Each structure stands twice: as structure tokens, then as C-alpha cells.
Amino acid sequence: MQESKSVGAKRLVLVRHAKAQAHGPSDHERALTGRGRADAAGAGRWLREQAIEPDAALVSDAVRAQETWAEMSTGAAWGIEPELSAALYESGSDSTFDLLRETPVDVATLVVVGHNPTMAYLAELIDDGEGDEDAITALASQGYPTCALTVFAVAGAWSELGPGSGTVELFHVGGS
């Protein structure tokens, strides 16, 4: 992961990959559909409008997650290279928390692109219930469809990230 430009308040952006083809040579190799590409690029533009600028990105090494990152980062005009993670492809919430806790201390904003059900479950677990009511309601009512993302404010060190450690600031579904 790249080093941050600043230290202080932290942001975590959890993203479920965009809409992928139903079939591929393997599940790992499924690519995005045209809609998925458009949704991811739109999500990137939306993040740019929200002034979200990541210092680092952790992305599943599955093709659909890598393509989501590529389209999203192009839409947002971000120039950072993601860290690709084979572990993130099949990880559950506990092992994903472990991966996120390894984030360097100087990273202020981390974007994570992964898969369901893990991304949805993490979003629910991290939420401290004190965030933006509209965003929390949308998260609870819409579930975590493809290209859903949640932006959290995180207090404390990455090494301490766990249940109830983040405040929901924003929730968005690409294509909406």
C-alpha cells in the first residue's frame, strides 16, 4: 500500500464489486458486464464529488474486483495503484478484519473492493449506529447490491479496527 500524505482522522470505504458476468472460465475470472463498468465509473465520479481521495486501496485479485477498481479509480481520477489480495477473494469477516488491521498507520483513507457476503457483513459490523441516519437507513433497507459502497469515519488506529469502530458517513449504490 502507498503511504499517506497526512495522519489524523481516518476513512474506510468498503465497496462490493460491480455487476459481473454470470459465467466465466472460473468464478475468479468473471469479468464485469457493461452495466458493471458504467456503475463502477459512476461510483468513482460520485466519490470524487464527495472529496474522497484514498491513500491506499486493497482489492481482491478476482477479475471483477480488479475491473471495479480500474473503472472506479478512472471515474474518480485517482492515480494510486491498489494492493491486490488473494486472501480478500475468499475471506470472511474475521480474516478481512485481520487484513484491514495491517493497514499502515499513516494511511488516512483506505478503499477496499471485495465480495459479498463479506462486504455487507463488515459494513454492518463496523457501523457504530451513530452515523448519518439516511445513509444507515439506506444501508439497512437496500442491502449490499453490486457496486454498493459505504464510507466510514474511523477513530483509532487501523490495528484496532473491529465491530462498532466506524461511523457511517455515506452510503451509495453505483448506477443509482
Side-chain angles (χ1 to χ4, degrees), residues 91-110:
S91 66
S93 59
D94 288 342
S95 54
T96 301
F97 270 129
D98 290 341
L99 290 170
L100 300 181
R101 288 180 189 124
E102 295 174 6
T103 301
V105 296
D106 61 345
V107 169
T109 300
L110 173 66

Side-chain angles (χ1 to χ4, degrees), residues 12-18 58-60 64-65 68 72 85 87-100 110-127 139 143-152 161 168 171-172:
L12 173 64
V13 182
L14 294 181
V15 183
R16 180 182 178 195
H17 66 78
L58 180 64
V59 177
S60 162
R64 61 192 177 275
T68 297
M72 192 169 59
S85 172
L88 191 55
Y89 173 65
E90 291 186 8
S91 66
S93 59
D94 288 342
S95 54
T96 301
F97 270 129
D98 290 341
L99 290 170
L100 300 181
L110 173 66
V111 174
V112 180
V113 181
H115 308 271
N116 261 6
T118 301
M119 292 296 103
Y121 192 48
L122 275 179
E124 290 176 20
L125 285 172
I126 292 171
D127 179 18
L139 173 60
Y144 228 73
T146 55
C147 210
L149 63 90
T150 308
V151 179
F152 292 93
L161 187 68
V168 174
F171 177 76
H172 178 77

Side-chain angles (χ1 to χ4, degrees), residues 18-25 27 29-34 64:
K19 180 76 174 166
Q21 297 171 349
H23 304 287
D27 181 68
E29 297 172 278
R30 291 190 304 134
L32 293 183
T33 63
R64 61 192 177 275

